[in-house]
Amino acid sequence: MTTTEPLSPTETRYDRGMAILEQVSGASGAAVIAGLAEIAPDLARLTVEFGYGDIYNRPGLTLRQRQLANVAALTALGNAAPQLRFHIGGALHVGVTRREIVETIMHMTVYAGFPAALNGLAAAREVFVERQTPADVEDSGAQPGETTDDRYHRGLAALEAIDGHAGVQVVASLQDIAPDLARYIIEFSFGDIYSRTGLDLKTRELATVAALTAMGTAAPQLRVHLHGLLNVGGTREEAIEVITQMVGYAGFPAAINGIAAAREVFAQRDADPATHQPRS
């Protein structure tokens, strides 16, 4: 089981947390903590000790993965623009590219809707301008003159490769009541969004698990995407870590419910491994 790394004999949780916070955000992190300490010094201390000294210090995810998970979750939640800007800046600081940030926010159109993604992109624009971050070369992978059939077939192939049996079941369950919605899931979610370049599939699924855990309103879809994460090369440890990280952004109930979903998915895969594999 993954646990927080032990302290050295002379290190405190606060010291360790501040060191990690500086890695993630540079001087801006210390400034945020100092401002918080003016009104709520205990909360400032707990933020450093728990959020960074305990959670961020855990192995299992890189700082890049943690920051992209935060960007996804805060975009999807849609109620914490200052924190989203902070973590976009942190993502840049640990080596995430502007393109990867934009793709992560665009990915949230599928799970939190266009308004949340548009607001997330507005926050990203502010950070990019402030930091004078140069644009990456865009290459969406889209083909000019594509037909709806092209998008559908590409989306269906992506759905089967990522979510396997679980994803196909979801789409099939809609055919008798909302066949157009089933088609939109394939064409837009998988044909347009998941098939874009800029993020690999494992990163997209980590972002999805983070967002669905934080939102707390989509347990069936979280289970589907936990299967998807494992299908595209993610590990159980990574799944548990990204859910655990959401304690700091959505609270313990959301993370506990996420862990319950992961427990169910792991048990299903152990009981019948063949059923939960993607189609080749």
Side-chain angles (χ1 to χ4, degrees):
M1 174 180 284
T2 303
T3 57
T4 302
E5 292 295 317
L7 293 165
S8 71
T10 60
E11 187 181 34
T12 68
R13 289 168 64 228
Y14 187 88
D15 293 334
R16 179 173 65 192
M18 283 301 296
I20 296 173
L21 177 59
E22 184 177 356
Q23 277 185 268
V24 171
S25 63
S28 65
V32 169
I33 295 301
L36 181 57
E38 292 178 2
I39 187 171
D42 285 345
L43 181 57
R45 174 178 55 80
L46 292 169
T47 299
V48 173
E49 290 178 350
F50 179 69
Y52 291 90
D54 291 344
I55 299 298
Y56 266 75
N57 182 62
R58 291 168 61 85
L61 292 175
T62 66
L63 290 179
R64 294 180 80 260
Q65 289 172 320
R66 290 187 185 279
Q67 286 304 97
L68 282 175
N70 290 346
V71 169
L74 291 169
T75 297
L77 286 172
N79 58 9
Q83 291 73 27
L84 176 56
R85 289 191 293 270
F86 178 82
H87 285 289
I88 289 170
L92 292 170
H93 198 261
V94 298
V96 178
T97 67
R98 174 170 164 161
R99 175 72 189 285
E100 288 170 323
I101 291 167
V102 169
E103 286 294 328
T104 299
I105 294 171
M106 287 181 61
H107 191 77
M108 292 301 104
T109 58
V110 176
Y111 303 101
F114 279 86
L118 292 172
N119 290 341
L121 289 173
R125 181 183 290 110
E126 290 181 34
V127 176
F128 297 160
V129 169
E130 178 183 328
R131 295 182 177 234
Q132 299 181 330
T133 309
D136 304 287
V137 176
E138 293 277 337
D139 176 20
S140 69
Q143 301 297 318
E146 278 192 316
T147 67
T148 297
D149 281 348
D150 293 331
R151 293 168 61 229
Y152 184 89
H153 291 304
R154 182 176 64 228
L156 185 60
L159 171 66
E160 292 176 345
I162 297 163
D163 291 333
H165 181 69
V168 172
Q169 277 188 317
V170 170
V171 172
S173 70
L174 296 171
Q175 291 293 348
D176 64 332
I177 187 170
D180 285 345
L181 179 58
R183 177 169 55 83
Y184 294 152
I185 290 172
I186 294 172
E187 290 174 356
F188 177 74
S189 301
F190 290 90
D192 291 341
I193 298 298
Y194 267 88
S195 298
R196 288 177 60 83
T197 59
L199 289 177
D200 60 35
L201 291 178
K202 178 178 167 181
T203 301
R204 289 188 182 277
E205 287 298 88
L206 279 169
T208 302
V209 169
L212 293 175
T213 298
M215 292 167 68
T217 56
Q221 291 74 26
L222 176 57
R223 290 191 292 271
V224 168
H225 286 284
L226 283 163
H227 280 299
L229 173 60
L230 298 173
N231 288 342
V232 298
T235 66
R236 296 186 181 195
E237 180 184 41
E238 288 170 326
I240 295 300
E241 281 303 309
V242 77
I243 293 170
T244 301
Q245 175 148 323
M246 292 303 103
V247 165
Y249 304 95
F252 278 90
I256 290 169
N257 291 341
I259 294 298
R263 186 191 305 277
E264 183 176 334
V265 167
F266 298 165
Q268 288 173 346
R269 294 175 79 92
D270 289 340
D272 191 359
T275 300
H276 301 286
Q277 296 300 314
R279 299 183 185 181
S280 57

